[in-house]
mmCIF file of all heavy atoms in Angstrom:
data_model
loop_
_atom_site.group_PDB
_atom_site.id
_atom_site.type_symbol
_atom_site.label_atom_id
_atom_site.label_comp_id
_atom_site.label_asym_id
_atom_site.label_seq_id
_atom_site.Cartn_x
_atom_site.Cartn_y
_atom_site.Cartn_z
ATOM 1 N N ALA A 1 0.873 -1.227 0.037
ATOM 2 C CA ALA A 1 -0.033 -0.040 0.007
ATOM 3 C C ALA A 1 0.864 1.180 0.012
ATOM 4 O O ALA A 1 1.909 1.333 0.746
ATOM 5 C CB ALA A 1 -0.889 -0.024 1.213
ATOM 6 N N PRO A 2 0.577 2.228 -0.820
ATOM 7 C CA PRO A 2 1.386 3.405 -0.895
ATOM 8 C C PRO A 2 1.246 4.135 0.461
ATOM 9 O O PRO A 2 0.191 4.081 1.111
ATOM 10 C CB PRO A 2 0.772 4.206 -2.066
ATOM 11 C CG PRO A 2 -0.550 3.640 -2.190
ATOM 12 C CD PRO A 2 -0.558 2.269 -1.750
ATOM 13 N N SER A 3 2.287 4.913 0.855
ATOM 14 C CA SER A 3 2.120 5.729 2.033
ATOM 15 C C SER A 3 1.259 6.869 1.867
ATOM 16 O O SER A 3 1.213 7.490 0.756
ATOM 17 C CB SER A 3 3.518 6.217 2.454
ATOM 18 O OG SER A 3 4.010 7.072 1.552
ATOM 19 N N VAL A 4 0.444 7.194 2.857
ATOM 20 C CA VAL A 4 -0.500 8.279 2.763
ATOM 21 C C VAL A 4 0.015 9.396 3.601
ATOM 22 O O VAL A 4 0.321 9.298 4.738
ATOM 23 C CB VAL A 4 -1.835 7.788 3.324
ATOM 24 C CG1 VAL A 4 -2.903 8.956 3.416
ATOM 25 C CG2 VAL A 4 -2.408 6.593 2.514
ATOM 26 N N GLN A 5 0.231 10.573 2.878
ATOM 27 C CA GLN A 5 0.704 11.783 3.554
ATOM 28 C C GLN A 5 -0.306 12.931 3.379
ATOM 29 O O GLN A 5 -0.351 13.761 4.337
ATOM 30 C CB GLN A 5 1.997 12.181 2.902
ATOM 31 C CG GLN A 5 3.143 11.102 3.124
ATOM 32 C CD GLN A 5 4.401 11.542 2.422
ATOM 33 O OE1 GLN A 5 4.471 12.506 1.688
ATOM 34 N NE2 GLN A 5 5.469 10.718 2.669
ATOM 35 N N LEU A 6 -1.024 12.973 2.337
ATOM 36 C CA LEU A 6 -1.980 14.049 2.173
ATOM 37 C C LEU A 6 -3.343 13.564 1.837
ATOM 38 O O LEU A 6 -3.535 12.408 1.504
ATOM 39 C CB LEU A 6 -1.539 14.887 0.929
ATOM 40 C CG LEU A 6 -0.113 15.460 1.011
ATOM 41 C CD1 LEU A 6 0.269 16.087 -0.325
ATOM 42 C CD2 LEU A 6 -0.022 16.486 2.097
ATOM 43 N N TRP A 7 -4.388 14.381 1.964
ATOM 44 C CA TRP A 7 -5.761 13.983 1.663
ATOM 45 C C TRP A 7 -5.913 13.476 0.189
ATOM 46 O O TRP A 7 -6.694 12.656 -0.055
ATOM 47 C CB TRP A 7 -6.779 15.140 1.968
ATOM 48 C CG TRP A 7 -6.540 16.286 0.962
ATOM 49 C CD1 TRP A 7 -5.768 17.465 1.285
ATOM 50 C CD2 TRP A 7 -7.155 16.500 -0.286
ATOM 51 N NE1 TRP A 7 -5.768 18.289 0.240
ATOM 52 C CE2 TRP A 7 -6.621 17.746 -0.744
ATOM 53 C CE3 TRP A 7 -7.917 15.776 -1.099
ATOM 54 C CZ2 TRP A 7 -6.958 18.185 -2.025
ATOM 55 C CZ3 TRP A 7 -8.237 16.286 -2.356
ATOM 56 C CH2 TRP A 7 -7.770 17.503 -2.820
ATOM 57 N N SER A 8 -5.132 14.153 -0.679
ATOM 58 C CA SER A 8 -5.158 13.712 -2.090
ATOM 59 C C SER A 8 -4.668 12.335 -2.305
ATOM 60 O O SER A 8 -5.029 11.756 -3.398
ATOM 61 C CB SER A 8 -4.530 14.765 -2.965
ATOM 62 O OG SER A 8 -3.171 14.842 -2.520
ATOM 63 N N ASP A 9 -4.021 11.794 -1.382
ATOM 64 C CA ASP A 9 -3.449 10.416 -1.540
ATOM 65 C C ASP A 9 -4.606 9.402 -1.534
ATOM 66 O O ASP A 9 -4.459 8.267 -1.926
ATOM 67 C CB ASP A 9 -2.422 10.024 -0.432
ATOM 68 C CG ASP A 9 -1.117 10.916 -0.598
ATOM 69 O OD1 ASP A 9 -0.867 11.387 -1.739
ATOM 70 O OD2 ASP A 9 -0.468 11.062 0.358
ATOM 71 N N TYR A 10 -5.747 9.770 -0.926
ATOM 72 C CA TYR A 10 -6.884 8.836 -0.853
ATOM 73 C C TYR A 10 -7.693 8.832 -2.142
ATOM 74 O O TYR A 10 -8.544 7.977 -2.329
ATOM 75 C CB TYR A 10 -7.822 9.307 0.284
ATOM 76 C CG TYR A 10 -7.316 8.959 1.653
ATOM 77 C CD1 TYR A 10 -6.730 10.010 2.364
ATOM 78 C CD2 TYR A 10 -7.335 7.655 2.176
ATOM 79 C CE1 TYR A 10 -6.203 9.677 3.621
ATOM 80 C CE2 TYR A 10 -6.763 7.439 3.336
ATOM 81 C CZ TYR A 10 -6.264 8.425 4.154
ATOM 82 O OH TYR A 10 -5.766 8.160 5.351
ATOM 83 N N LEU A 11 -7.399 9.787 -3.089
ATOM 84 C CA LEU A 11 -8.170 9.821 -4.340
ATOM 85 C C LEU A 11 -7.890 8.657 -5.234
ATOM 86 O O LEU A 11 -6.726 8.212 -5.336
ATOM 87 C CB LEU A 11 -7.937 11.175 -5.019
ATOM 88 C CG LEU A 11 -8.390 12.360 -4.291
ATOM 89 C CD1 LEU A 11 -8.042 13.641 -5.084
ATOM 90 C CD2 LEU A 11 -9.911 12.392 -4.156
ATOM 91 N N ASN A 12 -8.861 8.207 -5.999
ATOM 92 C CA ASN A 12 -8.568 7.249 -7.033
ATOM 93 C C ASN A 12 -8.056 7.869 -8.310
ATOM 94 O O ASN A 12 -7.474 7.209 -9.152
ATOM 95 C CB ASN A 12 -9.798 6.458 -7.306
ATOM 96 C CG ASN A 12 -10.163 5.468 -6.217
ATOM 97 O OD1 ASN A 12 -9.381 5.086 -5.421
ATOM 98 N ND2 ASN A 12 -11.438 5.260 -6.008
ATOM 99 N N VAL A 13 -8.286 9.176 -8.416
ATOM 100 C CA VAL A 13 -7.930 9.970 -9.633
ATOM 101 C C VAL A 13 -6.595 10.615 -9.285
ATOM 102 O O VAL A 13 -6.500 11.249 -8.193
ATOM 103 C CB VAL A 13 -8.982 10.964 -9.963
ATOM 104 C CG1 VAL A 13 -8.505 11.842 -11.196
ATOM 105 C CG2 VAL A 13 -10.271 10.318 -10.278
ATOM 106 N N HIS A 14 -5.647 10.529 -10.170
ATOM 107 C CA HIS A 14 -4.394 11.186 -9.903
ATOM 108 C C HIS A 14 -4.451 12.644 -10.408
ATOM 109 O O HIS A 14 -4.837 12.842 -11.614
ATOM 110 C CB HIS A 14 -3.210 10.487 -10.620
ATOM 111 C CG HIS A 14 -2.966 9.148 -10.076
ATOM 112 N ND1 HIS A 14 -2.359 8.937 -8.881
ATOM 113 C CD2 HIS A 14 -3.291 7.911 -10.579
ATOM 114 C CE1 HIS A 14 -2.290 7.621 -8.588
ATOM 115 N NE2 HIS A 14 -2.883 6.987 -9.584
ATOM 116 N N LEU A 15 -4.112 13.533 -9.546
ATOM 117 C CA LEU A 15 -4.149 14.966 -9.876
ATOM 118 C C LEU A 15 -2.869 15.434 -10.479
ATOM 119 O O LEU A 15 -1.829 14.866 -10.118
ATOM 120 C CB LEU A 15 -4.521 15.846 -8.639
ATOM 121 C CG LEU A 15 -5.806 15.438 -7.991
ATOM 122 C CD1 LEU A 15 -5.969 16.237 -6.645
ATOM 123 C CD2 LEU A 15 -6.992 15.718 -8.865
ATOM 124 N N HIS A 16 -2.917 16.450 -11.328
ATOM 125 C CA HIS A 16 -1.715 16.965 -11.887
ATOM 126 C C HIS A 16 -0.925 17.621 -10.742
ATOM 127 O O HIS A 16 -1.471 18.246 -9.850
ATOM 128 C CB HIS A 16 -2.067 18.102 -12.903
ATOM 129 C CG HIS A 16 -0.823 18.530 -13.670
ATOM 130 N ND1 HIS A 16 0.081 19.394 -13.237
ATOM 131 C CD2 HIS A 16 -0.496 18.208 -14.976
ATOM 132 C CE1 HIS A 16 0.995 19.608 -14.166
ATOM 133 N NE2 HIS A 16 0.697 18.919 -15.250
ATOM 134 N N PRO A 17 0.393 17.390 -10.656
ATOM 135 C CA PRO A 17 1.253 17.925 -9.583
ATOM 136 C C PRO A 17 1.113 19.403 -9.310
ATOM 137 O O PRO A 17 1.235 19.912 -8.302
ATOM 138 C CB PRO A 17 2.701 17.498 -9.888
ATOM 139 C CG PRO A 17 2.576 16.408 -10.977
ATOM 140 C CD PRO A 17 1.191 16.649 -11.658
ATOM 141 N N LYS A 18 0.904 20.195 -10.403
ATOM 142 C CA LYS A 18 0.775 21.653 -10.303
ATOM 143 C C LYS A 18 -0.571 22.071 -9.800
ATOM 144 O O LYS A 18 -0.850 23.185 -9.556
ATOM 145 C CB LYS A 18 1.123 22.318 -11.604
ATOM 146 C CG LYS A 18 2.568 22.278 -11.992
ATOM 147 C CD LYS A 18 2.905 23.359 -12.992
ATOM 148 C CE LYS A 18 4.372 23.327 -13.324
ATOM 149 N NZ LYS A 18 5.070 24.430 -12.657
ATOM 150 N N SER A 19 -1.532 21.142 -9.701
ATOM 151 C CA SER A 19 -2.874 21.510 -9.256
ATOM 152 C C SER A 19 -2.971 21.510 -7.705
ATOM 153 O O SER A 19 -3.948 21.911 -7.154
ATOM 154 C CB SER A 19 -3.930 20.589 -9.906
ATOM 155 O OG SER A 19 -3.824 19.320 -9.414
ATOM 156 N N LEU A 20 -1.950 20.930 -7.088
ATOM 157 C CA LEU A 20 -1.982 20.872 -5.589
ATOM 158 C C LEU A 20 -0.857 21.795 -5.087
ATOM 159 O O LEU A 20 0.174 21.812 -5.565
ATOM 160 C CB LEU A 20 -1.603 19.503 -5.107
ATOM 161 C CG LEU A 20 -2.651 18.356 -5.390
ATOM 162 C CD1 LEU A 20 -2.119 17.041 -4.981
ATOM 163 C CD2 LEU A 20 -4.038 18.714 -4.808
ATOM 164 N N TYR A 21 -1.219 22.581 -4.050
ATOM 165 C CA TYR A 21 -0.335 23.432 -3.350
ATOM 166 C C TYR A 21 -0.474 23.094 -1.915
ATOM 167 O O TYR A 21 -1.509 23.409 -1.267
ATOM 168 C CB TYR A 21 -0.601 24.898 -3.642
ATOM 169 C CG TYR A 21 0.387 25.834 -2.954
ATOM 170 C CD1 TYR A 21 1.778 25.832 -3.391
ATOM 171 C CD2 TYR A 21 0.055 26.592 -1.901
ATOM 172 C CE1 TYR A 21 2.678 26.737 -2.739
ATOM 173 C CE2 TYR A 21 0.939 27.434 -1.255
ATOM 174 C CZ TYR A 21 2.200 27.508 -1.680
ATOM 175 O OH TYR A 21 3.234 28.266 -1.098
ATOM 176 N N VAL A 22 0.541 22.530 -1.293
ATOM 177 C CA VAL A 22 0.521 22.089 0.093
ATOM 178 C C VAL A 22 1.043 23.182 0.884
ATOM 179 O O VAL A 22 2.128 23.764 0.656
ATOM 180 C CB VAL A 22 1.353 20.819 0.239
ATOM 181 C CG1 VAL A 22 1.363 20.363 1.768
ATOM 182 C CG2 VAL A 22 0.826 19.696 -0.628
ATOM 183 N N ILE A 23 0.294 23.527 1.941
ATOM 184 C CA ILE A 23 0.684 24.524 2.877
ATOM 185 C C ILE A 23 1.392 23.887 4.042
ATOM 186 O O ILE A 23 0.850 23.256 4.879
ATOM 187 C CB ILE A 23 -0.562 25.304 3.457
ATOM 188 C CG1 ILE A 23 -1.344 25.963 2.270
ATOM 189 C CG2 ILE A 23 -0.105 26.411 4.472
ATOM 190 C CD1 ILE A 23 -2.643 26.453 2.626
ATOM 191 N N ARG A 24 2.718 23.894 4.002
ATOM 192 C CA ARG A 24 3.574 23.019 4.826
ATOM 193 C C ARG A 24 3.349 23.255 6.335
ATOM 194 O O ARG A 24 3.354 22.361 7.118
ATOM 195 C CB ARG A 24 5.025 23.279 4.518
ATOM 196 C CG ARG A 24 5.407 22.767 3.179
ATOM 197 C CD ARG A 24 5.603 21.310 3.100
ATOM 198 N NE ARG A 24 5.833 20.855 1.677
ATOM 199 C CZ ARG A 24 5.435 19.766 1.229
ATOM 200 N NH1 ARG A 24 4.796 18.955 2.002
ATOM 201 N NH2 ARG A 24 5.581 19.472 -0.016
ATOM 202 N N GLN A 25 3.215 24.550 6.716
ATOM 203 C CA GLN A 25 3.106 24.840 8.181
ATOM 204 C C GLN A 25 1.846 24.382 8.820
ATOM 205 O O GLN A 25 1.672 24.296 10.036
ATOM 206 C CB GLN A 25 3.382 26.309 8.442
ATOM 207 C CG GLN A 25 2.398 27.288 7.874
ATOM 208 C CD GLN A 25 2.908 27.836 6.540
ATOM 209 O OE1 GLN A 25 3.542 27.123 5.796
ATOM 210 N NE2 GLN A 25 2.670 29.143 6.360
ATOM 211 N N TYR A 26 0.836 23.933 7.956
ATOM 212 C CA TYR A 26 -0.446 23.543 8.496
ATOM 213 C C TYR A 26 -0.652 22.051 8.193
ATOM 214 O O TYR A 26 -1.810 21.596 8.245
ATOM 215 C CB TYR A 26 -1.598 24.351 7.942
ATOM 216 C CG TYR A 26 -1.576 25.748 8.533
ATOM 217 C CD1 TYR A 26 -1.133 26.880 7.739
ATOM 218 C CD2 TYR A 26 -1.960 25.938 9.730
ATOM 219 C CE1 TYR A 26 -1.149 28.087 8.316
ATOM 220 C CE2 TYR A 26 -2.009 27.229 10.341
ATOM 221 C CZ TYR A 26 -1.503 28.317 9.557
ATOM 222 O OH TYR A 26 -1.544 29.526 10.127
ATOM 223 N N LEU A 27 0.376 21.268 7.931
ATOM 224 C CA LEU A 27 0.248 19.849 7.888
ATOM 225 C C LEU A 27 0.012 19.361 9.253
ATOM 226 O O LEU A 27 0.233 20.017 10.231
ATOM 227 C CB LEU A 27 1.514 19.234 7.215
ATOM 228 C CG LEU A 27 1.753 19.398 5.821
ATOM 229 C CD1 LEU A 27 3.095 18.847 5.350
ATOM 230 C CD2 LEU A 27 0.661 18.670 5.015
ATOM 231 N N HIS A 28 -0.413 18.113 9.391
ATOM 232 C CA HIS A 28 -0.644 17.547 10.699
ATOM 233 C C HIS A 28 0.600 17.644 11.626
ATOM 234 O O HIS A 28 0.434 17.728 12.835
ATOM 235 C CB HIS A 28 -1.117 16.086 10.631
ATOM 236 C CG HIS A 28 -2.417 15.956 9.929
ATOM 237 N ND1 HIS A 28 -3.617 16.361 10.525
ATOM 238 C CD2 HIS A 28 -2.812 15.556 8.686
ATOM 239 C CE1 HIS A 28 -4.578 16.206 9.738
ATOM 240 N NE2 HIS A 28 -4.144 15.626 8.615
ATOM 241 N N ASP A 29 1.771 17.539 11.116
ATOM 242 C CA ASP A 29 2.972 17.682 11.932
ATOM 243 C C ASP A 29 3.642 18.987 11.787
ATOM 244 O O ASP A 29 4.763 19.197 12.043
ATOM 245 C CB ASP A 29 3.951 16.518 11.550
ATOM 246 C CG ASP A 29 4.323 16.533 10.122
ATOM 247 O OD1 ASP A 29 3.785 17.270 9.329
ATOM 248 O OD2 ASP A 29 5.271 15.706 9.847
ATOM 249 N N GLY A 30 2.893 20.001 11.271
ATOM 250 C CA GLY A 30 3.413 21.336 10.959
ATOM 251 C C GLY A 30 3.653 22.116 12.225
ATOM 252 O O GLY A 30 3.218 21.720 13.370
ATOM 253 N N ASP A 31 4.241 23.281 12.116
ATOM 254 C CA ASP A 31 4.658 24.085 13.313
ATOM 255 C C ASP A 31 3.517 25.104 13.735
ATOM 256 O O ASP A 31 3.658 25.742 14.782
ATOM 257 C CB ASP A 31 5.899 24.794 13.117
ATOM 258 C CG ASP A 31 5.888 25.758 11.854
ATOM 259 O OD1 ASP A 31 4.946 25.691 11.140
ATOM 260 O OD2 ASP A 31 6.906 26.455 11.685
ATOM 261 N N CYS A 32 2.433 25.212 12.964
ATOM 262 C CA CYS A 32 1.432 26.225 13.275
ATOM 263 C C CYS A 32 0.073 25.673 13.838
ATOM 264 O O CYS A 32 -0.762 26.423 14.129
ATOM 265 C CB CYS A 32 1.124 26.994 12.026
ATOM 266 S SG CYS A 32 2.472 28.043 11.544
ATOM 267 N N GLY A 33 -0.043 24.394 13.951
ATOM 268 C CA GLY A 33 -1.309 23.821 14.457
ATOM 269 C C GLY A 33 -2.309 23.895 13.311
ATOM 270 O O GLY A 33 -2.023 23.522 12.170
ATOM 271 N N CYS A 34 -3.604 24.101 13.649
ATOM 272 C CA CYS A 34 -4.647 24.057 12.582
ATOM 273 C C CYS A 34 -5.042 25.472 12.039
ATOM 274 O O CYS A 34 -4.829 26.458 12.760
ATOM 275 C CB CYS A 34 -5.869 23.372 13.172
ATOM 276 S SG CYS A 34 -6.673 24.240 14.583
ATOM 277 N N LEU A 35 -5.525 25.519 10.934
ATOM 278 C CA LEU A 35 -5.859 26.716 10.279
ATOM 279 C C LEU A 35 -7.337 26.965 10.548
ATOM 280 O O LEU A 35 -8.179 26.535 9.878
ATOM 281 C CB LEU A 35 -5.654 26.516 8.717
ATOM 282 C CG LEU A 35 -5.869 27.747 7.872
ATOM 283 C CD1 LEU A 35 -4.887 28.856 8.192
ATOM 284 C CD2 LEU A 35 -5.664 27.353 6.404
ATOM 285 N N GLU A 36 -7.533 27.760 11.635
ATOM 286 C CA GLU A 36 -8.851 27.829 12.181
ATOM 287 C C GLU A 36 -9.542 29.240 12.104
ATOM 288 O O GLU A 36 -10.728 29.380 12.371
ATOM 289 C CB GLU A 36 -8.923 27.426 13.659
ATOM 290 C CG GLU A 36 -8.086 28.232 14.583
ATOM 291 C CD GLU A 36 -8.110 27.669 16.007
ATOM 292 O OE1 GLU A 36 -8.889 26.645 16.290
ATOM 293 O OE2 GLU A 36 -7.364 28.141 16.818
ATOM 294 N N ALA A 37 -8.729 30.296 11.762
ATOM 295 C CA ALA A 37 -9.263 31.566 11.771
ATOM 296 C C ALA A 37 -9.066 32.247 10.291
ATOM 297 O O ALA A 37 -8.085 32.028 9.619
ATOM 298 C CB ALA A 37 -8.593 32.493 12.735
ATOM 299 N N PHE A 38 -10.066 33.086 9.899
ATOM 300 C CA PHE A 38 -10.023 33.747 8.618
ATOM 301 C C PHE A 38 -8.647 34.494 8.476
ATOM 302 O O PHE A 38 -8.120 34.385 7.306
ATOM 303 C CB PHE A 38 -11.206 34.666 8.580
ATOM 304 C CG PHE A 38 -11.369 35.427 7.224
ATOM 305 C CD1 PHE A 38 -12.136 34.849 6.235
ATOM 306 C CD2 PHE A 38 -10.753 36.655 7.120
ATOM 307 C CE1 PHE A 38 -12.300 35.548 4.982
ATOM 308 C CE2 PHE A 38 -10.885 37.313 5.894
ATOM 309 C CZ PHE A 38 -11.642 36.787 4.872
ATOM 310 N N GLY A 39 -8.313 35.162 9.433
ATOM 311 C CA GLY A 39 -7.031 35.952 9.310
ATOM 312 C C GLY A 39 -5.841 35.180 9.092
ATOM 313 O O GLY A 39 -4.907 35.611 8.436
ATOM 314 N N GLN A 40 -5.778 33.983 9.646
ATOM 315 C CA GLN A 40 -4.659 33.104 9.379
ATOM 316 C C GLN A 40 -4.512 32.692 7.940
ATOM 317 O O GLN A 40 -3.461 32.730 7.374
ATOM 318 C CB GLN A 40 -4.825 31.776 10.128
ATOM 319 C CG GLN A 40 -4.506 31.850 11.649
ATOM 320 C CD GLN A 40 -4.798 30.553 12.318
ATOM 321 O OE1 GLN A 40 -5.903 29.996 12.189
ATOM 322 N NE2 GLN A 40 -3.831 30.096 13.150
ATOM 323 N N GLY A 41 -5.670 32.354 7.377
ATOM 324 C CA GLY A 41 -5.735 31.992 5.864
ATOM 325 C C GLY A 41 -5.371 33.165 5.022
ATOM 326 O O GLY A 41 -4.620 33.033 4.053
ATOM 327 N N GLU A 42 -5.908 34.297 5.377
ATOM 328 C CA GLU A 42 -5.610 35.571 4.623
ATOM 329 C C GLU A 42 -4.169 35.949 4.666
ATOM 330 O O GLU A 42 -3.533 36.312 3.672
ATOM 331 C CB GLU A 42 -6.485 36.663 5.154
ATOM 332 C CG GLU A 42 -6.784 37.798 4.225
ATOM 333 C CD GLU A 42 -7.762 38.781 4.857
ATOM 334 O OE1 GLU A 42 -7.751 39.021 6.074
ATOM 335 O OE2 GLU A 42 -8.550 39.293 4.054
ATOM 336 N N SER A 43 -3.552 35.731 5.809
ATOM 337 C CA SER A 43 -2.140 36.119 5.956
ATOM 338 C C SER A 43 -1.183 35.237 5.208
ATOM 339 O O SER A 43 -0.101 35.591 4.907
ATOM 340 C CB SER A 43 -1.772 36.183 7.477
ATOM 341 O OG SER A 43 -1.806 34.902 7.995
ATOM 342 N N LEU A 44 -1.663 34.013 4.933
ATOM 343 C CA LEU A 44 -0.868 33.003 4.139
ATOM 344 C C LEU A 44 -0.434 33.667 2.711
ATOM 345 O O LEU A 44 0.651 33.465 2.298
ATOM 346 C CB LEU A 44 -1.496 31.695 3.930
ATOM 347 C CG LEU A 44 -1.533 30.776 5.081
ATOM 348 C CD1 LEU A 44 -2.422 29.480 4.778
ATOM 349 C CD2 LEU A 44 -0.138 30.279 5.431
ATOM 350 N N LEU A 45 -1.402 34.386 2.115
ATOM 351 C CA LEU A 45 -1.182 34.879 0.846
ATOM 352 C C LEU A 45 -0.643 36.362 0.954
ATOM 353 O O LEU A 45 -0.694 37.141 0.007
ATOM 354 C CB LEU A 45 -2.489 34.866 0.035
ATOM 355 C CG LEU A 45 -2.841 33.417 -0.324
ATOM 356 C CD1 LEU A 45 -4.179 33.451 -1.059
ATOM 357 C CD2 LEU A 45 -1.803 32.726 -1.075
#
């Protein structure tokens, strides 16, 4: 079984690599915890 790291790993359809942008600091083992507030998301960009 392939290793599962992202939600997209559960898909049966393979997505183009450029169609996914992973926000590293908000991964399960990231340094920022969860993305829970509007301002946090806005500040990413």
